[in-house]
Amino acid sequence: MTYAAITGWGACMPPAVLSNDDLSTFLDTSDEWIATRTGMKERRISHVGAIELSTVAAARALACAGLDAADVDLIIYGGVSNDELVPNSASGVQIALGATRAASIDLNTACTSFCYGLTTATAMIRTGVVRNAIVIGVELISRYMDWSNRNVAVLFGDGAAAVVLQASDEEEGVLGSILGCDAEGRQTLRVRGFGCTYANRDVNFGDTIWDFDGQAIFKRAVHAMADASRRVMAERGVGPDDIDLVVPHQANLRIIESVAKYAGVPMEKVMVTVQKYGNMSAATVPVALVEALDEGRVRPGATLLMPAFGGGLTYCSLLVKWGQRVTPIATSDLTLPPATKSALEMVNEIRAQQDPHGRSLAGLMAPAFAESWAHPQPA
Ligand code: ACO
């Protein structure tokens, strides 16, 4: 039987830090509100594009695995943030790495993209389609965040991380995956402004309206992640006591605490990064995984649980058996150029270019237009 071992891991976090107090300089919010409602204290703002972030993360993961880029058969770029839509982003990472033989796929299931990508690559390795794969989770949300909307602007950050998967005879890697989509809730989390609906209608790329029902998402997220976690554990015949570490999607500390409670796992066994990085959508799980390894929280042979949810509303929970190696084989010297501006300066530059919905996008959202493309809400 062939398995897909996780043999390499690497993150690339942009250095510029945006604090809650920075956000309070242009939004009617406070450190106290953000910290108590979400657990977030700060997040990162990238000075480079999403492909560059991904390439550095992937190069670090390859070095960690001791694998040559020329031996990579598959790159999955998981996330919502693309520098451009055509050509796809995975091909940009491929050429930057020199992974000349690789198939290159962009995969968008919003915040679950990394976990869906991990499951997809695992299945392709286990069925013999490929032998070596890179799976990336990346987001560059700062570029299309609606920085005038305090309901969402305080929640997100930029970042990237990647893992390398390799065919193995050892029973390790992703051993169980529950994937699903609560599509009746798809209207609760929308970013308007991208896609064919808006093409040739005088909408600036990056001008967005975030339709976001935080409380509905919160409830659906907790239910879906806890249920998927219980199901994947039952399917694999493991109980909460067998879980060594939960590496969850990091949307809100209160969501993480609720999922841990319903899954029956104490918070001491949960990896939390939301205070440092906010919600990086598809990047949260792999970044937390890399930090857990760096901090020695993943022991050889450990059993990990990875629950996540995102727009769609897609959800999943993965059960992962770690191998014997928890340290890198080598390190990469690839790194980002230094940031020449502070995070707040970069955000203020983006804000200065954004039209706070006084113009095109607001017009497109007039009821008649909205009705022509909106899907009916379920009763
Ligand atoms: N600062 C200060 N006040 C604020 C802010 C802010 N940043 N945002 C909202 N408020 C106000 C509201 O206007 C409201 O005021 P009102 O009572 O006068 O009307 C009050 O605070 C309470 O707002 P709620 O929405 O009830 O606050 P809640 O406790 O639900 O927290 C939050 C909101 C943090 C968004 C929470 O619902 C949440 O985390 N939901 C899930 C978010 C999520 O899923 N994100 C990830 C998905 S994204 C993806 O998948 C791509």
Side-chain angles (χ1 to χ4, degrees):
M1 181 96 73
T2 302
Y3 297 93
I6 302 176
T7 58
W9 52 92
C12 181
M13 292 306 301
V17 175
L18 188 75
S19 69
N20 290 347
D21 287 337
D22 288 333
L23 287 162
S24 315
T25 63
F26 60 89
L27 287 172
D28 179 14
T29 189
S30 64
D31 175 50
E32 198 268 335
W33 192 95
I34 301 169
T36 51
R37 299 287 175 130
T38 71
M40 297 170 191
K41 297 293 283 182
E42 53 190 43
R43 69 285 298 144
R44 301 295 173 91
I45 303 296
S46 179
H47 61 298
V48 301
I51 289 176
E52 192 167 350
L53 280 180
S54 303
T55 300
V56 174
R60 290 174 179 170
L62 279 175
C64 176
L67 187 71
D68 199 285
D71 293 325
V72 175
D73 304 311
L74 170 70
I75 297 172
I76 296 184
Y77 177 103
V80 188
S81 310
N82 296 96
D83 292 342
E84 295 171 305
L85 277 179
V86 183
N88 74 353
S89 298
S91 59
V93 178
Q94 181 196 359
I95 193 155
L97 290 174
T100 45
R101 286 194 319 115
S104 294
I105 303 173
D106 285 7
L107 189 156
N108 170 5
T109 56
C111 299
T112 58
S113 301
F114 172 79
C115 293
Y116 268 56
L118 203 53
T119 299
T120 304
T122 297
M124 289 175 75
I125 289 174
R126 295 194 65 174
T127 52
V129 178
V130 298
R131 287 192 64 77
N132 301 321
I134 297 173
V135 181
I136 298 162
V138 54
E139 297 297 357
L140 192 65
I141 292 173
S142 61
R143 300 299 192 275
Y144 56 89
M145 173 49 64
D146 175 359
W147 288 106
S148 67
N149 181 352
R150 70 177 183 174
N151 293 323
V152 285
V154 304
L155 300 177
F156 292 92
D158 300 335
V163 297
V164 169
L165 303 185
Q166 293 185 262
S168 167
D169 295 332
E170 301 295 327
E171 188 178 17
E172 61 184 75
V174 177
L175 299 184
S177 297
I178 298 289
L179 308 181
C181 184
D182 173 15
E184 288 193 354
R186 70 193 296 272
Q187 309 285 10
T188 61
L189 203 175
R190 305 169 74 173
V191 181
R192 302 184 188 204
F194 295 123
C196 298
T197 301
Y198 309 96
N200 301 312
R201 287 176 183 265
D202 196 26
V203 177
N204 285 340
F205 183 87
D207 241 1
T208 54
I209 292 179
W210 289 60
D211 265 354
F212 194 91
D213 182 347
Q215 292 190 1
I217 298 168
F218 193 113
K219 287 182 201 140
R220 286 175 183 266
V222 171
H223 171 75
M225 285 197 287
D227 184 57
S229 296
R230 282 194 295 259
R231 282 164 56 204
V232 78
M233 285 192 283
E235 189 183 276
R236 293 296 306 172
V238 304
D241 292 346
D242 302 313
I243 303 296
D244 295 300
L245 190 67
V246 181
V247 186
H249 176 47
Q250 316 269 328
N252 184 318
L253 182 58
R254 291 185 293 140
I255 292 180
I256 296 171
E257 288 169 343
S258 300
V259 171
K261 188 174 120 201
Y262 288 122
V265 182
M267 279 304 286
E268 304 84 76
K269 288 187 176 182
V270 181
M271 188 68 198
V272 179
T273 62
V274 73
Q275 72 286 5
K276 294 192 286 186
Y277 303 137
N279 180 355
M280 298 178 290
S281 179
T284 60
V285 171
V287 168
L289 175 64
V290 172
E291 296 221 343
L293 283 149
D294 288 349
E295 292 173 14
R297 293 191 66 179
V298 180
R299 62 169 180 78
T303 299
L304 311 181
L305 187 69
M306 297 181 183
F309 79 98
L313 298 168
T314 59
Y315 63 85
C316 62
S317 192
L318 275 47
L319 200 73
V320 174
K321 177 94 185 308
W322 205 260
Q324 289 306 305
R325 186 168 55 79
V326 291
T327 52
I329 288 178
T331 54
S332 165
D333 52 13
L334 194 63
T335 190
L336 295 179
T340 56
K341 293 175 184 152
S342 72
L344 184 56
E345 283 169 338
M346 287 189 272
V347 168
N348 280 335
E349 280 180 10
I350 299 167
R351 290 176 57 233
Q353 290 157 18
Q354 284 184 336
D355 184 332
H357 317 313
R359 198 187 36 117
S360 49
L361 197 49
L364 292 186
M365 287 306 121
F369 179 78
E371 273 166 26
S372 72
W373 63 276
H375 295 281
Q377 290 273 17

